[in-house]
């Protein structure tokens, strides 16, 4: 069990007349879990030591499944937003015996002095909850009013990797690990992964503005932009908004068309599923599409990773992304306007979401574009067949700097 995870047993006195863990008891259990993390970390007297107190400003709880007396619930707590005097924790409770998500809570605290004035968040509290949400190479970078979690590796000319929906930067691990000689930048888009998930304000334009601001903050003027599927749609939006900052384009398993009326209706249905069934319902919906008819062709570890990422995605981020996907414009005119732009279009031969003919259609309007079809790969080619994809990318990047 990780240090920020807490296991608590459900007792009969916390349950209602039907034997379920009562909705009101959840708040108490979430609070117990937070205190447990504080007790194990900076100590329960942390607030009195700093002469501050955390006041709850807002709590949003979602109930997903029942729990019964004797069930052990595993509580996980992550700081998903840190302001100067406030912070937001996202907590989840999963039933240990079958790993079912039972409830999730987003809770905003404001730190106040004994006189009730807002006061900076004490560093040990940030350490207790926030350092654990950024494992490995992840860093927090504040842009456009949100904190993005960003994996940054290496030195050299920059490549920005933009993940698909509803995933996170980790889908680029083989490229982040393998493309030496380049500064590899892989953010979690707002609402996904470990980045902040504001309630509102999701669109391809917002994602693109976030990433342009991220490049500026990192001192990168111009980058190779590499997007997979929805990441491709964000890349097209960056091209529309700031073509001068795009050194070259790599599109993986994506398409330039806007959604048809039928796909838009399907997006609305998916949003309904997300509202009713939460991220688990989205995982059930997306996984067969990603690994369509080929579950045994893709490593179980990859399928498990993708499910884990999807079920951890905040509601606001999921719903926001679905709306952004539905409302995105057609991008053929954007690509046609880029007659000089070096472009590499990669597609999994078995990709059913954005099949090879969609990739061919993009290359057809990009005179400086080349197409690479990856045998045996589906919609997540860069993860499923990393060696073949890295070889294609390396060749393209070498030609670019030659
Ligand atoms: C993705 O993989 O990013 C999505 O499947 C894209 C889409 O649904 O259009």
């Amino acid at each position: 069990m990780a240090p920020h995870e807490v296991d608590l047993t459900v007792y009969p006195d916390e349950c209602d007349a039907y034997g379920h863990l009562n909705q009101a008891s959840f708040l108490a259990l979430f609070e117990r879990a937070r205190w447990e993390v504080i007790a194990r970390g900076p100590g329960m007297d942390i607030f009195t030591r700093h002469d501050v107190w955390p006041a709850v400003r807002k709590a949003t709880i979602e109930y997903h499944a029942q729990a019964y007396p004797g069930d052990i619930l595993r509580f996980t707590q992550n700081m998903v937003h840190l302001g100067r005097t406030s912070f937001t924790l996202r907590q989840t409770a999963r039933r240990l015996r079958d790993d079912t998500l039972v409830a999730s809570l987003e809770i905003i605290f404001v730190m106040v002095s004994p006189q009730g004035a807002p006061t900076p968040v004490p560093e040990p509290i940030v350490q207790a909850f926030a350092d654990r949400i950024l494992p490995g190479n992840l860093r927090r970078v504040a842009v456009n009013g949100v904190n993005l979690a960003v994996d940054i590796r290496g030195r050299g000319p920059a490549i920005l990797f933009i993940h698909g929906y509803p995933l996170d930067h980790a889908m680029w691990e083989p490229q982040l690990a393998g493309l030496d000689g380049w500064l590899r930048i892989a953010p979690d888009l707002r609402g996904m992964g470990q980045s902040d998930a504001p309630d509102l304000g999701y669109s391809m334009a917002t994602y693109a503005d976030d990433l342009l601001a991220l490049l500026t903050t990192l001192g990168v003027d111009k980058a190779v932009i590499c997007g997979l599927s929805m990441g491709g749609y964000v890349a097209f939006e960056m091209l529309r908004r700031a073509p001068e900052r795009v050194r070259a384009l790599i599109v993986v398993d994506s398409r330039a068309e806007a959604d048809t009326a039928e796909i838009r209706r399907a997006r609305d249905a998916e949003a309904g599923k997300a509202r009713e069934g939460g991220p688990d319902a989205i995982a059930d919906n997306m996984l067969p599409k990603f690994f369509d008819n080929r579950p045994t062709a893709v490593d179980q570890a990859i399928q498990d990773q993708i499910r884990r990422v999807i079920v951890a995605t905040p509601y606001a981020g999921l719903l926001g992304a679905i709306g952004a996907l539905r409302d995105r414009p057609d991008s053929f005119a954007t690509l046609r306007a880029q007659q000089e732009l070096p472009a590499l279009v990669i597609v999994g031969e078995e990709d059913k979401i954005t099949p090879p003919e969609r990739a061919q259609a993009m290359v057809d309007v990009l005179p400086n574009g080349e197409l690479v079809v990856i045998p045996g790969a589906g919609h997540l080619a860069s993860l499923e067949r990393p060696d073949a994809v890295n070889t294609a990318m390396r060749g393209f990047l070498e030609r670019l700097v030659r």
Side-chain angles (χ1 to χ4, degrees), residues 1 19 57 226 233 268:
M1 192 172 42
R57 190 160 70 71
C226 171
Y233 312 156
D268 291 338

Side-chain angles (χ1 to χ4, degrees), residues 277-392:
D280 283 278
I282 297 297
D284 293 342
N285 193 33
M286 291 303 291
L287 286 170
K289 290 189 196 164
F290 283 153
F291 306 117
D292 188 41
N293 296 332
R294 344 168 359 264
T296 50
V298 180
D299 247 12
Q300 191 56 44
I302 294 179
Q303 301 190 43
D304 293 347
Q305 173 193 344
I306 296 298
R307 174 172 277 278
R308 262 197 317 278
V309 171
I310 298 176
V311 299
T313 307
Y315 269 69
L318 275 178
L319 291 170
I322 293 171
L325 287 164
R326 183 197 53 205
D327 298 336
R328 75 184 191 282
D330 185 284
S331 290
F332 277 110
T334 309
L335 296 183
R336 265 194 211 96
Q338 300 300 325
Q339 296 291 300
E340 305 297 321
L341 184 74
L344 171 66
V345 179
I346 297 177
V347 65
E349 190 181 25
E350 318 268 344
D351 183 352
K352 299 289 188 299
I353 300 181
T354 49
E357 56 273 22
R358 302 289 100 243
Q360 182 63 57
M362 288 187 276
V363 175
D364 287 346
V365 298
L366 285 162
N368 238 340
E370 56 189 278
L371 177 66
V372 175
V373 180
I374 306 291
H379 188 59
L380 301 178
S382 48
L383 199 54
E384 295 176 30
R385 295 287 180 273
D387 293 345
V389 168
N390 282 3
T391 302

